[in-house]
Amino acid sequence: MLIKKFSHIGITDISSVGGKNASLGEMYNQLTSKGVGIPNGFATTSSAYWKFLNENNIQEALENIISGLDRIEYSNLALIGDRARNLILKSELSKVLTESIIKAYNDLCGDTDMAVAVRSSATAEDLPDASFAGQHDTFLNIKGKDPLLEAVKKCFASLYTDRAIKYREDKGFLHKDIALSVGVQLMVRSDKGCSGVGFTIEPESGFENIILLSGVWGLGENIVQGTINPDEFYVFKPSLSKKKNPIVQKKLGDKKLTMVYADEADKATTLNVPTKKEKQETYVLSDDEIITLGNWALLIEQHYKKPMDIEWAKDGISNKLFITQARPETVHQNKDKQIHIEYKLLEKGKIYTEGNAIGSKIKVGKAIILNSPNEAPSLTKDTIIITDTITPDWDPLLKKVGGIITNKGGRTSHAAIVARELGVPAIVGCGNATERILNNETITLSCAQGRTGYVYKGNLSFKEREIDFSGIQMPLTEAKLILADPENAFNLSRYPNDGVGLLRMEFIITHKVKVHPMALVKFNQIKNADTRKEIEKLTKKYADKPAYFIDQLSQGIATIAAAFYPKEVIVRLSDFKTNEYANLIGGADFEPHEENPMLGFRGAARYYNELYKEGFALECAAIKKVREDMGLTNLKVMIPFCRTIEEGKKVVTVMAENGLKRKDNNLKIYTMIEIPSNVILAKESAEIFDGFSIGSNDLTQLTLGIDRDSEIMGKLFNENDAATKKMISMAIQSAKSTRTKIGLCGQAPSDFPEFAQFLVDEGIDSISFNPDALLQGIENINKAEQKHTTKKVTEISD
């Protein structure tokens, strides 16, 4: 059989039509009934390809050409590829094959020649251990019989692109065993709409509950080539399944160019035209469209029972969405999820540039700036290539280098996909890497600091260690994390943990929101013109300025809550001091000057005060959005620096007025134990709060009367001091007497095994650690629990 219509193709037909076409046929037959949009089409078979070679008598000639390949240095790769492709292009399609293709085209289009996409699909393509991403050619907007036949032949020839030859060599495929099927699919006019790609897992960490969608205006080739930085949308699967708002994060890309089809008079088939400013600043998808694609991606993943890499497009004429391709994700599904390689920089350095981190490694090497792969000198694993963008033509080089840095590209660009597959650390979308980095200088590429990658000047020291999570036993005492940066959340969620005991909201406000909430509520009262201009720029996309604060804060909190779902995540309400609040954009106009901010207008006292009450309402609105709209009810709330029982009651009342009523929808409200008054009145506090968290730093400074920020007094600051430990003991015992959950957040239990022993002996319920101290903390707790058990057994025996 030379031709198969999509209606007759299933996933079992890979040997006949290749992975790409088999997947399209499978989805067309199995998922269109569930609402997934799949454009109809047909495919030439592997039999048609072999028949083409035999009728032109070029099979042996192709094998002879490939036999001359330099398989050590690949010095003649370009020459070999050119010869093989020319041999195929000079050959003719047989009359039978030509007529078969034309008939299938007529059946697809009816009486009118319609535009189609002509895609290559190798018979070994999209297997679990090989994506073949970008190895073969696709031809878009092909209209008419003669152009279609020419495109089919060009697809056959693309089996021997330089990158495809090298890829098969690397993967151990025999060239003579691979056939090329050509998929012909009704064209989606994304040139007039938008298009993009998606992963049904978070592609850096492999976190399985996130769908990442990326999109650009026009044709999706700009994403694949990494020509521009796309919009990104993070969709949380459990919220999607519960019909809640699943969009936990949205990132606006620059989208400076839009790829469209060229006029017939142009020699080029596509053109990249500047995107209008208004469209650059507009997301390519509405929230409803994001949710639709998220649902489709989930259906595709559930159908195939594995993580998938998809391509989508929106027709700008019909405004309909379509899935144009789906293949297995090839990086994370074969990894041992219990083995984790941890990288950590040991010193600070000058940052040259930053971008999207691909992977989690750190690499020191010599920077080589290249404009094209043809310029490449002798490359080694100590080479880090710096370029504007990476296209499939670069692939033969990428296996030779130690790192990749590009000006352009997003997490779903070709550079990112290939870098992940090869295990090569990359930072894409820096914008200015080729300008900031000098050729031949030593640099440090770090992807170990979250989703943002940094390029540092010089050789910075770092450490690398392998952790086997399977050998770590969780203690009875809950071991939780202290987190602030949402960028690290998905990766850290893989560590052994019992949730997040302290989510510091301040980091999200400082780095993501940046603006003082009262400056948004009372924008007209801001005196400084530059400050007003800066806020106008940040809030440009929002109908009202307070909505900006709610949206940005909720996205940061939701990312962490989603990463650890359904485990408990406790977010602490803002605890800036007045001098810290004043440093936010617009903050100086709304903060009083204090001589001692540490003991001043901070924590709970702010939330019901007229100076900040409206700002606090925005914090509550963000938390309510995460819990109610997104369905992340694992998020609990903690009140810091609550000085009196009456103050606690006031704050709980204000929270209820702002839609956060204790016990509604399983909302728990905790408070910090960080003032001696909290310890003294812990039993009374248990009547209005659901739990306690001991803040050992503030409790130590207020028990000992030591400013924890004082360099002179620093040596006397000691959480192990008998007075501090007495306070902690009293708090724990009061909590136990009222059956109130109590934990501690701090460094001491990981630094000092004896402190962990003290907490376990006292009966603490949980201990929260900074990420770099978590594993040591778990080890200390386990040892402490063993000693505690042994001690109890001995006491009983005696």
Side-chain angles (χ1 to χ4, degrees):
M1 185 179 290
L2 302 179
I3 301 290
K4 280 190 176 184
K5 295 181 179 180
F6 280 4
S7 58
H8 297 137
I9 293 174
I11 199 61
T12 56
D13 293 310
I14 289 178
S15 62
S16 175
V17 295
K20 188 181 297 180
N21 290 331
S23 181
L24 284 169
E26 176 78 9
M27 291 190 295
Y28 183 82
N29 289 298
Q30 301 297 324
L31 298 179
T32 51
S33 61
K34 297 181 179 181
V36 181
I38 309 291
N40 197 6
F42 64 89
T44 66
T45 64
S46 56
S47 297
Y49 175 78
W50 297 126
K51 185 176 179 65
F52 168 76
L53 295 189
N54 291 332
E55 288 178 345
N56 286 279
N57 197 28
I58 59 173
Q59 175 73 57
E60 187 176 345
L62 277 172
E63 292 180 20
N64 288 336
I65 291 172
I66 292 297
S67 68
L69 180 66
D70 171 12
R71 287 182 164 83
I72 298 175
E73 297 293 332
Y74 293 94
S75 58
N76 63 347
L77 177 60
L79 177 64
I80 295 295
D82 186 59
R83 286 178 178 173
R85 292 191 297 273
N86 281 332
L87 183 63
I88 292 173
L89 290 171
K90 289 176 182 177
S91 301
E92 297 294 331
L93 299 176
S94 69
K95 181 181 178 181
V96 174
L97 181 55
T98 297
E99 290 176 348
S100 298
I101 293 171
I102 291 173
K103 183 180 184 306
Y105 179 64
N106 289 335
D107 290 345
L108 180 66
C109 299
D111 296 332
T112 306
D113 285 351
M114 298 177 69
V116 291
V118 184
R119 304 175 186 276
S120 303
S121 180
T123 56
E125 198 169 41
D126 298 337
L127 298 178
D129 61 342
S131 71
F132 277 78
Q135 304 305 315
H136 310 112
D137 292 339
T138 290
F139 301 93
L140 302 176
N141 203 35
I142 302 300
K143 189 174 182 180
K145 300 171 182 61
D146 289 338
L148 172 59
L149 295 170
E150 184 64 24
V152 168
K153 198 158 64 168
K154 287 180 179 178
C155 283
F156 284 168
S158 76
L159 191 60
Y160 288 93
T161 61
D162 300 353
R163 56 188 181 269
I165 294 170
K166 181 64 165 60
Y167 192 89
R168 291 195 293 273
E169 289 285 324
D170 292 338
K171 290 292 182 180
F173 292 111
L174 295 176
H175 301 281
K176 65 183 181 64
D177 291 344
I178 309 297
L180 201 291
S181 165
V182 181
V184 180
Q185 191 175 26
L186 287 174
M187 194 69 219
V188 179
R189 292 306 302 268
S190 58
D191 59 309
K192 295 180 179 295
C194 57
S195 57
V197 299
F199 288 90
T200 64
I201 59 173
E202 201 282 314
E204 303 313 325
S205 64
F207 182 70
E208 294 178 353
N209 268 342
I210 282 289
I211 297 166
L212 171 62
L213 301 171
S214 297
V216 295
W217 295 116
L219 302 174
E221 195 64 16
N222 275 333
I223 279 190
V224 176
Q225 293 180 358
T227 310
I228 59 176
N229 295 319
D231 293 342
E232 292 183 349
F233 311 102
Y234 289 79
V235 180
F236 186 52
K237 292 176 188 174
S239 295
L240 196 64
S241 300
K242 291 189 294 185
K243 308 298 183 186
K244 294 288 187 177
N245 175 9
I247 307 167
V248 296
Q249 202 172 122
K250 295 165 72 172
K251 290 188 174 183
L252 189 70
D254 57 32
K255 308 183 298 294
K256 290 182 178 179
L257 297 172
T258 299
M259 186 175 285
V260 297
Y261 297 125
D263 294 332
E264 292 183 8
D266 290 312
K267 290 183 179 179
T269 55
T270 59
L271 293 174
N272 249 335
V273 298
T275 307
K276 291 180 180 179
K277 192 71 175 175
E278 181 184 352
K279 294 190 78 173
Q280 286 185 42
E281 296 172 352
T282 303
Y283 288 114
V284 298
L285 294 170
S286 68
D287 285 1
D288 286 345
E289 289 170 333
I290 295 167
I291 292 168
T292 294
L293 285 175
N295 278 313
W296 288 1
L298 193 57
L299 282 169
I300 292 168
E301 180 182 65
Q302 289 169 347
H303 178 76
Y304 284 110
K305 296 182 174 60
K306 63 183 69 173
M308 299 293 288
D309 169 1
I310 67 173
E311 293 182 12
W312 61 268
K314 180 182 176 182
D315 192 302
I317 299 173
S318 68
N319 287 323
K320 291 182 178 179
L321 289 166
F322 295 92
I323 299 296
T324 57
Q325 191 172 321
R327 54 181 169 247
E329 189 276 337
T330 57
V331 175
H332 291 285
Q333 64 175 307
N334 296 320
K335 281 186 176 179
D336 185 343
K337 293 180 175 60
Q338 294 299 320
I339 302 296
H340 178 66
I341 309 296
E342 184 179 80
Y343 292 81
K344 184 179 180 181
L345 276 177
L346 300 178
E347 57 182 314
K348 295 181 179 179
K350 178 183 176 182
I351 297 175
Y352 273 154
T353 187
E354 62 185 65
N356 298 303
I358 308 302
S360 59
K361 295 180 180 178
I362 297 174
K363 180 66 182 179
V364 175
K366 184 171 75 170
I368 301 295
I369 299 176
L370 298 174
N371 293 313
S372 79
N374 298 327
E375 295 178 357
S378 178
L379 301 173
T380 70
K381 287 296 182 182
D382 292 322
T383 301
I384 299 174
I385 57 173
I386 322 293
T387 189
D388 190 53
T389 187
I390 294 285
T391 62
D393 295 331
W394 289 77
D395 289 4
L397 296 181
L398 300 186
K399 199 171 184 181
K400 300 178 181 179
V401 302
I404 304 162
I405 300 170
T406 68
N407 290 334
K408 300 172 182 173
R411 298 186 189 284
T412 50
S413 65
H414 181 77
I417 292 170
V418 174
R420 287 189 202 101
E421 190 169 288
L422 295 176
V424 175
I427 302 178
V428 300
C430 295
N432 57 0
T434 52
E435 299 171 15
R436 299 295 303 276
I437 302 168
L438 298 177
N439 199 35
N440 291 318
E441 75 169 320
T442 298
I443 57 172
T444 299
L445 180 163
S446 173
C447 295
Q449 294 157 269
R451 291 206 300 269
T452 301
Y454 298 92
V455 182
Y456 297 93
K457 179 180 180 180
N459 182 347
L460 300 187
S461 58
F462 66 93
K463 69 176 181 180
E464 171 187 349
R465 65 166 175 160
E466 181 180 289
I467 307 167
D468 184 354
F469 291 147
S470 65
I472 297 175
Q473 179 182 344
M474 292 300 290
L476 296 175
T477 306
E478 291 183 338
K480 297 185 173 183
L481 279 157
I482 299 171
L483 287 184
D485 186 358
E487 287 205 354
N488 292 314
F490 295 132
N491 192 48
L492 289 171
S493 69
R494 298 171 55 207
Y495 281 57
N497 71 84
D498 292 303
V500 177
L502 174 58
L503 191 174
R504 291 193 178 107
M505 186 188 290
E506 297 80 19
F507 182 94
I508 300 171
I509 294 175
T510 302
H511 291 80
K512 193 171 175 65
V513 180
K514 302 178 183 178
V515 184
H516 193 290
M518 292 303 293
L520 297 167
V521 173
K522 298 187 175 183
F523 177 73
N524 293 332
Q525 295 183 16
I526 297 172
K527 304 179 184 73
N528 187 284
D530 289 339
T531 300
R532 292 170 65 90
K533 187 176 180 181
E534 196 171 1
I535 294 174
E536 289 278 21
K537 183 178 179 181
L538 286 170
T539 60
K540 195 173 187 178
K541 302 196 308 289
Y542 294 85
D544 66 272
K545 290 176 172 54
Y548 163 79
F549 185 95
I550 296 167
D551 189 41
Q552 295 297 309
L553 181 58
S554 64
Q555 286 187 36
I557 293 172
T559 300
I560 295 175
F564 291 86
Y565 182 88
K567 297 175 184 174
E568 185 177 65
V569 173
I570 303 172
V571 59
R572 185 180 68 189
L573 297 167
S574 66
D575 192 26
F576 287 119
K577 288 74 176 174
T578 49
N579 58 323
E580 295 168 335
Y581 267 118
N583 287 330
L584 294 171
I585 298 170
D589 288 328
F590 300 96
E591 291 297 327
H593 173 73
E594 295 183 300
E595 292 300 325
N596 189 357
M598 184 72 78
L599 297 180
F601 188 45
R602 63 174 285 201
R606 300 181 65 93
Y607 307 151
Y608 56 88
N609 191 290
E610 291 302 321
L611 290 175
Y612 189 73
K613 191 174 182 180
E614 291 172 279
F616 179 63
L618 302 187
E619 294 184 30
C620 292
I623 292 169
K624 183 181 178 183
K625 181 177 179 180
V626 175
R627 285 180 47 81
E628 304 294 334
D629 295 353
M630 299 181 182
L632 290 161
T633 53
N634 61 317
L635 184 72
K636 317 301 180 186
V637 184
M638 185 152 62
I639 299 169
F641 225 76
C642 185
R643 294 168 169 91
T644 68
I645 299 297
E646 286 306 310
E647 188 165 73
K649 290 178 179 178
K650 284 182 181 179
V651 173
V652 170
T653 299
V654 171
M655 289 176 66
E657 291 171 354
N658 285 294
L660 295 177
K661 187 176 181 181
R662 184 184 172 205
K663 296 184 180 178
D664 276 7
N665 204 9
N666 196 31
L667 174 62
K668 292 183 179 179
I669 301 177
Y670 298 152
T671 190
M672 299 288 292
I673 298 282
E674 50 194 342
I675 308 169
S677 64
N678 301 147
V679 177
I680 295 166
L681 297 178
K683 290 182 181 179
E684 290 80 356
S685 292
E687 296 177 11
I688 57 173
F689 295 116
D690 296 292
F692 302 135
S693 179
I694 300 167
S696 56
N697 286 337
D698 268 331
L699 187 59
T700 300
Q701 82 167 341
L702 294 175
T703 299
L704 300 180
I706 295 173
D707 182 351
R708 74 189 202 203
D709 292 335
S710 170
E711 292 183 18
I712 298 173
M713 302 299 293
K715 291 181 180 179
L716 293 177
F717 186 91
N718 180 14
E719 292 166 288
N720 257 316
D721 185 271
T724 301
K725 291 173 78 172
K726 181 68 174 176
M727 282 287 184
I728 292 172
S729 175
M730 289 169 61
I732 295 172
Q733 297 315 311
S734 292
K736 288 170 74 70
S737 71
T738 57
R739 297 184 178 179
T740 306
K741 189 174 180 179
I742 187 166
L744 180 140
C745 300
Q747 193 72 16
S750 61
D751 289 347
F752 308 108
E754 66 273 18
F755 197 86
Q757 187 71 59
F758 157 68
L759 293 174
V760 168
D761 289 341
E762 290 293 326
I764 196 93
D765 293 311
S766 68
I767 304 174
S768 299
F769 303 93
N770 288 314
D772 60 352
L774 175 67
L775 298 181
Q776 184 60 56
I778 290 173
E779 183 179 330
N780 288 351
I781 295 173
N782 277 323
K783 289 179 179 178
E785 288 183 347
Q786 290 171 5
K787 287 184 180 179
H788 183 76
T789 301
T790 302
K791 182 181 176 182
K792 285 290 185 183
V793 171
T794 303
E795 289 174 354
I796 292 170
S797 300
D798 291 343

